[in-house]
Every structure is written in structure tokens, then in C-alpha cells.
Amino acid sequence: AQVLDNLLPIDPEVAARVEALDLQFNKFGVDPFGIDKDELTRSVSAFAWIYRFYFKVDVYGLENVPSRGRAVLIGNHSGGVAIDAMMVMGSMLLDASPPRLPHGMIDKFIHEFPGASQFMARTGQFTGNPDQAKRLLRAERLLLVFPEGARGTAKLAKDADSLVDFGTGFMRLALETKTPIVPFAFVGGGEALPTVANLRRLGRLFGVPYIPVTKWGVLIPKPTRFQLLYGKPMMFEGSGHERDEVVHGMVAQVKERIRDLIQQGRALREKKISEEDLVL
């Protein structure tokens, strides 16, 4: 334990932010979903330096994320690996006031790696299955979902700001639980880790969908400034049991909103518009 303390020192600001989370930790520092306060504090302390100094994240519209209560963050995926998810986590844990812990709905293949399943669960990241998601939302938690899935991170750098097909599960979940959807756009992932190819056969040997190949050959992202834009919440009426074509129409509205946010983020990045021109 002492070795771990030395390797992962506690950041006092992070510790205060974890204390401020709207989570019900028991006397052992564990919440009803198995999140461990100490492990969460140490992992976020280690990540905070990366978020604050290695990368630069321009966050817009943070006030559009509900400070309490259930909501689903829905956004675009890019960047070869889940850099976008980490930046969303950082914005909510380190920038939002009050801070919130988004529960990422992660792909099942993550659990093939030794120790990953336990670590993810203890820091609030769970396998993306409907039952788990419903339990979290009914407990008034904040979910993070990328409807593009692994197809999104597999985009090559030249297509990083495009959108591939969205799954519909998030919409049925939001309808059934009467949950607002907060659309967001993440811009810059393709420049941090410019992917030129994906090795799918090799990836299958390691139990992952693919292994990205970057311009410089290694999976180490370069220091990059990102734009992260949160749009106003979207609420849809229904039971979650609507016909497919009805649900697809609702999903298309969310997808179009995210596309618009991406375009605005791109324009900010290229200095074609200013922060005052944003329509979130």
C-alpha cells in the first residue's frame, strides 16, 4: 500500500472534488454500485496532470449538463483509442461545479485484460448492458454513451470529424427511463492520434476489435488542444417500445445536433468563429 501511495499521490483538489460527488459511500468508502472512493481519488489524481497539462481542453456549455439527477451524455467517438471519453470524464470531474462522475458504458472486450474489470468497476465504469444502465439512471446517475461504438474510434484521422451509424439502444433507454439526452461534440482526437490504418486481424489475436496504426507507429498521443462542446439537453416522449422507424427518427435528431456541434467545434479550432458565436 505504501508503494502505491508513493506512485499515485493524492491531489488535494481531486480529493475534495471526489468528496463533493453526489455518491452514497458507506463507512468503508464504497458506494452501492461498488465504486471505491480511495481508488477513484487515486486514479483521478494521476489523470488530472494529463488533463490539465499534457492536453489542453477548451470546454463549452458545461452548464448544459444537469448538476444533479439522471442524464445521458451522447457524443461522437474518434481518436483511435478512447481519448474523448477521458476528456469528458476530466471535464465533469475537474471542471464542473459541482463535479459529477459520468459512468461510461464500456465495451465488453475491456474485461479480457487482467485486472481491468475490477479497476473499471471500482472507478465507476461498467459494461454497457441495458439492465446496468437502467439501474444507474434510476439511481439518478450520469451515463456516458458513444452510439458509434468501436466503429467510431476506428475512424482514420482524415475522417475523425465524421459520424458513422448510431445504435438505437441509448434512445430506447432514455425513453423508458424518462431521461434527458445531453449531446456533445469532441474535436481534435484525429490530430492527437492520427490513425492511418487499423490492424483488425492482429487485434483479434489480442482480444480487441483492432489495433490502430499511427503516423509515427506507436500508440502515444501527442499533446493536443481539444474542443469539447456540450449542447442543451434534448427530451423525447415515448415508452422505449416504439417501432424501429420512430426510434431511428429520434436518433437522427440527436445525430444531427452532434454534427452541428462538431462543425462549430471545428470552426472554433480553425478560428473561423469566436466563443460568442456558439449556438449550444
Side-chain angles (χ1 to χ4, degrees):
Q2 186 61 49
V3 172
L4 188 60
D5 287 347
N6 293 333
L7 289 175
L8 298 176
I10 296 294
D11 181 322
E13 181 187 344
V14 169
R17 283 185 160 271
V18 171
E19 285 288 346
L21 291 172
D22 189 21
L23 302 181
Q24 296 77 47
F25 292 112
N26 62 20
K27 64 180 180 179
F28 301 107
V30 179
D31 96 323
F33 288 92
I35 301 168
D36 186 293
K37 184 197 291 186
D38 289 341
E39 191 149 351
L40 178 62
T41 303
R42 291 190 187 287
S43 62
V44 178
S45 292
F47 169 70
W49 184 90
I50 297 172
Y51 179 81
R52 291 170 176 154
F53 303 110
Y54 188 82
F55 296 119
K56 300 292 183 184
V57 189
D58 298 326
V59 184
Y60 305 93
L62 205 51
E63 68 279 2
N64 288 326
V65 182
S67 59
R68 290 286 185 267
R70 71 185 70 173
V72 185
L73 303 175
I74 300 292
N76 60 305
H77 233 348
S78 64
V81 294
I83 299 173
D84 41 21
M86 292 187 286
M87 298 304 109
V88 170
M89 294 283 178
S91 72
M92 295 308 306
L93 285 164
L94 300 172
D95 292 336
S97 183
R100 297 204 69 179
L101 173 63
H103 300 295
M105 298 288 97
I106 59 179
D107 286 317
K108 294 179 181 178
F109 74 81
I110 296 293
H111 301 293
E112 299 296 325
F113 297 95
S117 182
Q118 185 180 57
F119 172 77
M120 290 294 183
R122 287 183 174 179
T123 55
Q125 312 310 306
F126 304 105
T127 302
N129 68 69
D131 290 339
Q132 180 75 286
K134 288 176 193 174
R135 285 194 295 270
L136 287 162
L137 290 175
R138 285 168 181 156
E140 304 300 327
R141 302 298 182 90
L142 180 66
L143 299 193
L144 170 60
V145 179
F146 293 95
E148 296 173 291
R151 295 166 300 164
T153 51
K155 297 170 197 166
L156 302 185
K158 63 184 179 65
D159 301 316
D161 293 330
S162 65
L163 293 173
V164 297
D165 290 341
F166 275 30
T168 59
F170 79 90
M171 181 57 72
R172 292 192 182 278
L173 176 69
L175 290 169
E176 184 175 345
T177 58
K178 310 301 181 189
T179 298
I181 291 170
V182 179
F184 72 87
F186 176 77
V187 178
E191 289 153 63
L193 203 67
T195 304
V196 296
N198 292 303
L199 305 179
R200 299 184 186 278
R201 289 185 180 179
L202 183 61
R204 285 195 291 271
L205 292 177
F206 289 94
V208 298
Y210 61 89
I211 293 178
V213 177
T214 66
K215 287 182 179 179
W216 42 79
V218 292
L219 280 176
I220 300 176
K222 67 178 181 180
T224 305
R225 181 178 289 276
F226 301 120
Q227 284 71 43
L228 178 57
L229 297 82
Y230 292 101
K232 286 182 169 56
M234 304 174 73
M235 198 76 195
F236 294 87
E237 297 295 329
S239 66
H241 302 290
E242 286 73 17
R243 300 189 312 276
D244 286 345
E245 57 267 30
V246 174
V247 176
H248 279 294
M250 296 177 182
V251 169
Q253 293 180 52
V254 177
K255 187 174 182 179
E256 186 57 35
R257 186 71 186 99
I258 293 170
R259 180 178 287 111
D260 174 64
L261 292 170
I262 292 172
Q263 290 172 350
Q264 292 188 69
R266 194 79 237 169
L268 276 172
R269 192 174 187 81
E270 296 169 358
K271 302 190 186 321
K272 294 180 178 178
I273 64 172
S274 67
E275 183 177 345
E276 290 71 28
D277 297 319
L278 291 175
V279 180
L280 301 177

